[in-house]
Amino acid sequence: MLYLLAPGSLMRLFAKGPAAGELLEVGTVLLALSAAWQLFDAVGMSTSEVLRATGDTAWTLGARVMLAWLVFTPAAFITVRQLQGGHVAAMACVAGYLALLAMLLVWRFRSGAWQSIDLIGIEAPLDTP
């Protein structure tokens, strides 16, 4: 809550020296934006760990890799480099990536696909008579 409600006060603790003004300006915005993605990150990490604990490891890895390379990387490149969005655009891309990942992982959990994974070898191997 402090990141969202008092980012400037927190940044002043670290803004010392000749670049203090610039650090305070940029850091205050980034700290406030980080409050937005922390909720998405918490949901994504928790759901990912639940799925991984049920044996759904390949799917969670695939979701992270695909979103990172097919959504986050191009979006960050376009918004920061080509549209000159700077640090705010970069953080918005991080928040967007984490929001999409959280939604995708929650969808996977709710689908129940993880319930069919055989973790303890109850099902007989396919090559036995």
Side-chain angles (χ1 to χ4, degrees), residues 36-61:
W37 60 258
Q38 288 184 36
L39 179 61
F40 301 130
D41 197 30
V43 170
M45 284 194 310
S46 299
T47 310
S48 176
E49 291 304 313
V50 167
L51 288 169
R52 289 172 26 159
T54 65
D56 207 353
T57 56
W59 199 92
T60 57
L61 171 67

Side-chain angles (χ1 to χ4, degrees), residues 50-51 54-56 108-118:
V50 167
L51 288 169
T54 65
D56 207 353
R108 176 66 172 186
F109 178 77
R110 288 182 159 216
S111 77
W114 54 272
Q115 294 173 337
S116 64
I117 298 172
D118 181 20

Side-chain angles (χ1 to χ4, degrees), residues 2-3 5 10-11 13 23 29 38 49-50 53 58 63 66-67 70 76 84 86 90-93 95 103 106 125:
L2 285 175
Y3 284 14
L5 299 175
L10 289 173
M11 285 308 299
L13 297 171
L23 177 63
V29 172
Q38 288 184 36
E49 291 304 313
V50 167
M66 297 298 282
L67 278 178
L70 298 178
Q84 305 300 312
M91 288 299 285
C93 288
M103 287 187 287
V106 167

